[in-house]
Amino acid sequence: QAQLVESGGGLVQAGGSLRLSCAASGSIFSISVMGWYRQAPGNQRELVARITSGGSTNYADSVKGRFTISRDSAKNTVYLQMSSLKPEDTAVYYCNVDGSRYGGGWPRTTYWGQGTQVTVSS
């Protein structure tokens, strides 16, 4: 049973920091891209950051310079270090992993975590 377990969300004051973690376990093979998305009430889910197996990263313009994504491929874990948090960063943050349920790496499947709430107070 494939599973993404997220942790690290919570309540923080503006200007503070949080670190999110997401560990993939179970039948997830050949993980390539790992990332974080977020969804605020009334808004669509949006990409926050993503990292490839080679370490290349992409960030939403709104978080560049404040958030850092990293991964430990040996542990199938992705992290999101969030600094200088703003009230507009308040959202449910979802881990996203591209992998396969088969050892051969095909077909590909997109996996989602259950979401972790991040609330930034002003």
Side-chain angles (χ1 to χ4, degrees):
Q1 185 77 11
Q3 192 174 15
L4 299 182
V5 178
E6 300 159 345
S7 60
L11 173 64
V12 64
Q13 288 188 331
S17 299
L18 283 174
R19 188 191 195 210
L20 306 183
S21 298
C22 171
S25 63
S27 299
I28 303 179
F29 304 97
S30 301
I31 293 175
S32 56
V33 181
M34 305 181 82
W36 291 93
Y37 287 70
R38 68 185 180 187
Q39 186 168 20
N43 290 356
Q44 290 186 333
R45 191 172 297 189
E46 62 176 3
L47 174 68
V48 176
R50 56 191 290 177
I51 183 168
T52 69
S53 56
S56 297
T57 58
N58 296 99
Y59 295 92
D61 288 343
S62 59
V63 307
K64 283 181 180 177
R66 300 188 297 120
F67 291 10
T68 301
I69 190 169
S70 62
R71 65 190 283 172
D72 184 337
S73 294
K75 297 180 179 179
N76 286 341
T77 301
V78 62
Y79 306 96
L80 185 68
Q81 178 67 47
M82 305 184 292
S83 302
S84 303
L85 282 161
K86 304 176 181 180
E88 51 263 43
D89 294 318
T90 295
V92 177
Y93 283 68
Y94 296 91
C95 176
N96 172 276
V97 168
D98 176 80
S100 175
R101 62 185 65 185
Y102 302 101
W106 190 262
R108 309 298 293 176
T109 299
T110 297
Y111 299 89
W112 290 95
Q114 79 283 359
T116 184
Q117 177 70 46
V118 171
T119 303
V120 184
S121 63
S122 57

